[in-house]
Amino acid sequence: MLIQTALQGTADQSTAAMVDRSSQQLGAAAVAVGQSAGKVDEILTWVRGLGGLGN
């Protein structure tokens, strides 16, 4: 029983670490998407400033 409890604790820590890494990766992806959206906005503003493409 003690070994099973110890193994379960190790598995829980491993799962927690995996969830934490996934969360960090999702956070980084969200930042990248936000930056890309900002860049698209900049480009559209610039194109409109040139007289645009009918936009």
Side-chain angles (χ1 to χ4, degrees):
M1 186 67 170
L2 184 58
I3 293 173
Q4 184 178 7
T5 301
L7 288 175
Q8 183 61 45
T10 301
D12 288 347
Q13 287 177 349
S14 179
T15 300
M18 186 174 60
V19 168
D20 186 52
R21 279 192 302 275
S22 294
S23 174
Q24 290 173 4
Q25 290 169 345
L26 284 172
V31 168
V33 167
Q35 290 172 341
S36 295
K39 196 60 162 173
V40 168
D41 241 5
E42 281 180 43
I43 293 167
L44 288 174
T45 300
W46 180 76
V47 168
R48 288 182 186 125
L50 294 176
L53 303 170
N55 293 329

